[in-house]
Amino acid sequence: MTQILIQGFLLSGLYALIAVGFTLIFSVGRVLNLAYGAYLVIGGYAYFWLSQTLGMPKIVGVLLAIVLGAVIGISKYRLIVKPLKGDHVAVEISTLILAVVVQAGIVLLFGDASKILHPIVSGVSRVGGATVTYNILTAAVVSWVILIGLYLFVRFTHLGRALEAVSMDVKGAAISGVDPDQMNQLTWAISGALGALAGVFFASYTQLYPGMWVTPLIIAVAVVIVGGIGSILGTLLVAHIIGFMEVISTSLIAAELRGVFTMLLIIVVLIIRPKGLFGRAEL
Amino acid sequence: MALLDIDKLSAFYGKAQALQDVSLSIAEGDIVALIGTNGAGKSTLLDSIMGQVTVSGDIRLKGESLVGKPTSKIVAAGVGYAPERANLFAHMSVRNNLLVGAYTARDNIADNLSRVENLFPVLAERAGQETSTQSGGERQMVSIGRALMTNPSILLVDEPTIGLAPKVFNDIAEALRRLNAETGLTILITEQNVNFALTLARHIHVMETGRIRVSGTADELREDAALAEAYFGH
């Protein structure tokens, strides 16, 4: 039981980190960024190359992966999303194609074999009979700190309020002096940075391989659909529901069920509560 | 020099032309009303000033052209706008809605907030309430208040009385009158309610199918029997 509780909390923290960047894009830009998982792949491989191939310090590897994620996020917005001017279907198709292109590029550069990332923080502890790796503990703590920071940023700063304003009413934000284009660009940068960071932790929790964008994308979509579009608190809560559901199903029923209940939950929520459990169209 | 000069302005939604060669000037400190029926082009004219519509011609604020600028720059230049649909941030509190309006005017937040809450005391009493739960009149007050938080040189108010009870729109008229008298703020409103416009504005332009048909002072238009019959129905 202790093992389930601890693993549930830790995995949920990681899932929240994975989902929050996807949520931001959806609520501010109203874009379903199907290439979101590609940020995780790029972040994971950038960290692998910088830290394990070039031998840079781990923290430098993590920071540069985050910067790369932000740059790719901005580039994606300026080169694909903005020129398509709100054509959601075209954006979704383009971002999905982009994810496949990124996967092919990674295969070309690094090969298609899985790679093992060294833990960012090494070490293991036993808490109440449960095994806790410092790596996943760090991922969970970083995730909670980022989510709380993001919540405070949105609630209590001019820039955060401007982001929230764009997510609620673009014209209202514009006539208040907020530039929606700048806010969208900022959101794509934050989303890319968070996705890349999540990729480093996710890859070090599982494995690094070119197709690793699919699972995080399903997690992100699930959190957004079940939590409701755009709610940071909803993201945190639903990430915990999904995280615990996975830990319980894989620990008590069968390891093969990983992800199955998450997808079933998406279908159930879409049928009985399409706006999500905490659904409101804002951050 | 006029505060706001509009020169041969035409506006387009795709291929449809919504304004045709509209020209008008608004002096600093004046209250001006654009009146006309639905579809006359009143809201399009305000949206054009705010850079929300494709236009030809020129719009100048204090001699500086606003055409081609993004809306955020037009707000920073000194144009405050309370649109007909309010476009509030429905799940934000009243206070946060007002604070978003201060995005480009952060040096004057305390003064502007005090001015808004002095004008509409109910906004101070309900500072923490989400605007989605407010009445139409209160939402209109938040909308005007948010525009004032941008520290404007001119305030544009689109149909401030639409859908409101007479008591509420009298309160809003009184607030706009006070604002103009106490601070000298220039105000441009659009209205279908002719009596409201005549009691508030000093200068009036009557719009029809995207053009200005008649212009004059409120007294001139009120006393011209033919115009009163044609446009005001009395």
Side-chain angles (χ1 to χ4, degrees), chain A residues 155 158-159 161-162 164-166 168-180 182-183 280-282, chain B residues 47 50 52 71-72 75 81 83 87-92 96 99-104 106 109 130 146 150:
Chain A
R155 283 287 172 276
H158 283 289
L159 199 55
R161 266 194 296 267
E164 190 174 33
V166 173
M168 289 185 196
D169 194 308
V170 175
K171 181 177 177 179
I175 62 172
S176 302
V178 176
D179 184 343
Q182 273 182 5
M183 291 304 116
R280 261 186 1 190
E282 88 292 354
Chain B
D47 278 345
M50 297 309 298
Q52 297 270 308
T71 302
S72 55
V75 173
Y81 184 26
N87 294 93
L88 297 180
F89 312 118
H91 301 295
M92 269 192 211
N96 277 346
L99 288 176
V100 174
Y103 189 72
T104 56
R106 296 181 207 178
I109 291 177
E130 280 192 3
R146 185 182 64 185
T150 65

Side-chain angles (χ1 to χ4, degrees), chain A residues 107-126:
Chain A
V107 170
L108 198 65
L109 288 171
F110 296 95
D112 58 2
S114 297
K115 303 195 182 324
I116 304 294
L117 274 192
H118 300 156
I120 298 163
V121 182
S122 307
V124 178
S125 205
R126 289 194 69 79

Side-chain angles (χ1 to χ4, degrees), chain A residues 56-70:
Chain A
M56 286 186 182
K58 289 175 182 175
I59 186 66
V60 175
V62 173
L63 291 176
L64 288 178
I66 290 171
V67 170
L68 182 63

Side-chain angles (χ1 to χ4, degrees), chain B residues 15-201:
Chain B
K15 289 181 180 171
Q17 187 165 359
L19 292 179
Q20 298 178 55
D21 286 332
V22 171
S23 296
L24 61 90
S25 289
I26 297 176
E28 191 158 5
D30 203 354
I31 303 183
V32 176
L34 295 168
I35 60 175
T37 55
N38 264 341
K42 308 181 301 295
S43 299
T44 301
L45 181 53
L46 299 195
D47 278 345
S48 300
I49 296 170
M50 297 309 298
Q52 297 270 308
V53 184
T54 306
V55 297
S56 65
D58 203 5
I59 304 165
R60 292 181 299 276
L61 182 74
K62 299 174 194 166
E64 186 188 343
S65 180
L66 302 178
V67 173
K69 288 189 174 177
T71 302
S72 55
K73 299 279 185 213
I74 292 168
V75 173
V79 186
Y81 184 26
E84 180 193 334
R85 293 185 180 177
N87 294 93
L88 297 180
F89 312 118
H91 301 295
M92 269 192 211
S93 66
V94 168
R95 177 62 56 82
N96 277 346
N97 266 269
L98 296 178
L99 288 176
V100 174
Y103 189 72
T104 56
R106 296 181 207 178
D107 294 338
N108 303 308
I109 291 177
D111 289 346
N112 287 335
L113 195 57
S114 161
R115 177 169 71 163
V116 168
E117 292 182 344
N118 182 35
L119 204 60
F120 302 117
V122 70
L123 300 188
E125 293 160 20
R126 307 204 172 164
Q129 186 178 346
E130 280 192 3
T131 55
S132 62
T133 63
Q134 289 192 296
S135 67
E138 286 169 357
R139 288 167 53 77
Q140 186 62 262
M141 292 174 197
V142 177
S143 176
I144 293 171
R146 185 182 64 185
L148 291 173
M149 292 297 292
T150 65
N151 208 24
S153 305
I154 183 167
L155 174 67
L156 316 181
V157 189
D158 195 9
E159 307 244 13
T161 67
I162 199 160
L164 302 182
K167 161 80 175 81
V168 180
F169 68 65
N170 283 337
D171 289 348
I172 288 173
E174 182 51 33
L176 292 174
R177 207 175 283 121
R178 258 184 65 202
L179 189 65
N180 175 260
E182 291 172 8
T183 66
L185 182 66
T186 310
I187 298 172
L188 171 61
I189 66 163
T190 69
E191 259 306 333
Q192 290 188 55
N193 182 333
V194 176
N195 288 326
F196 178 88
L198 286 172
T199 56
L200 181 64

